Amino acid sequence: MNWIMFKFFYDPVRAIQFDVEFPVGFDMDAANVTNTVRSTEFTVSASKLTSTTYRIILYSLSSATLNNGDQSIIEFPILIDNALSLGVYQLNFSNVIISDVNSQNISSVALENGEITVVDKTYTFYADADGDTYGDLTTTQVAVSAPAGYVSDN
């Protein structure tokens, strides 16, 4: 699952840093945190601070800025424990630093916390070894989307 961060700005910014704490049962693939189209001129870095907390830094070494808007800027690959109950889980943000075009810190308060809603959206897929687009009833896999070599039609 990918979680996409939306950030609202009123002034152009050059760098953002924050810590995000996930509930137990969630993990983030820090090595695969990526930029979105809006932040391609920036470098993004993520590191694990504790078992549930990560630090995210998005910055530009050039004169690139993120202008005001509400488009997404960072995509987080989130792993969810299979034993986790369905429901709404809170994300806590802290140590927020937002730097303007003059590299001055213009914010250090998290104005919002986030949430992730876990729903049961898995499907059964069937192995299609012969490539005829019909799967084998005896070889299945349950997943959110079709794994390679599997189809939804049996």
Side-chain angles (χ1 to χ4, degrees):
M1 173 186 131
N2 284 341
W3 174 58
I4 298 176
M5 179 179 180
F6 290 89
K7 200 68 177 164
F8 298 91
F9 300 114
Y10 298 104
D11 296 309
V13 299
R14 183 159 294 143
I16 302 167
Q17 173 187 300
F18 60 92
D19 297 345
V20 59
E21 179 185 5
F22 291 94
V24 172
F26 292 85
D27 199 11
M28 183 175 73
D29 182 0
N32 289 304
V33 171
T34 59
N35 303 57
T36 65
V37 171
R38 183 174 180 211
S39 61
T40 56
E41 296 182 56
F42 287 75
T43 300
V44 64
S45 174
S47 58
K48 193 169 192 171
L49 301 177
T50 70
S51 62
T52 58
T53 304
Y54 295 84
R55 174 156 295 154
I56 311 299
I57 303 173
L58 181 77
Y59 61 94
S60 169
L61 295 176
S62 69
S63 60
T65 59
L66 288 170
N67 293 314
N68 62 346
D70 60 358
Q71 300 88 11
S72 62
I73 57 172
I74 303 171
E75 189 170 321
F76 302 87
I78 306 297
L79 308 170
I80 302 173
D81 187 318
N82 289 334
L84 203 62
S85 299
L86 303 179
V88 177
Y89 295 84
Q90 297 299 310
L91 304 175
N92 297 310
F93 292 91
S94 61
N95 299 320
V96 176
I97 300 171
I98 300 175
S99 298
D100 68 9
V101 296
N102 299 312
S103 300
Q104 299 297 310
N105 294 335
I106 57 174
S107 178
S108 59
V109 178
L111 300 178
E112 294 183 26
N113 284 326
E115 63 182 39
I116 294 177
T117 303
V118 177
V119 296
D120 186 15
K121 291 285 185 177
T122 58
Y123 305 95
T124 301
F125 296 95
Y126 306 90
D128 183 18
D130 59 7
D132 67 354
T133 71
Y134 294 99
D136 177 358
L137 283 173
T138 62
T139 309
T140 63
Q141 220 178 61
V142 175
V144 175
S145 60
Y150 282 73
V151 295
S152 61
D153 193 358
N154 60 7

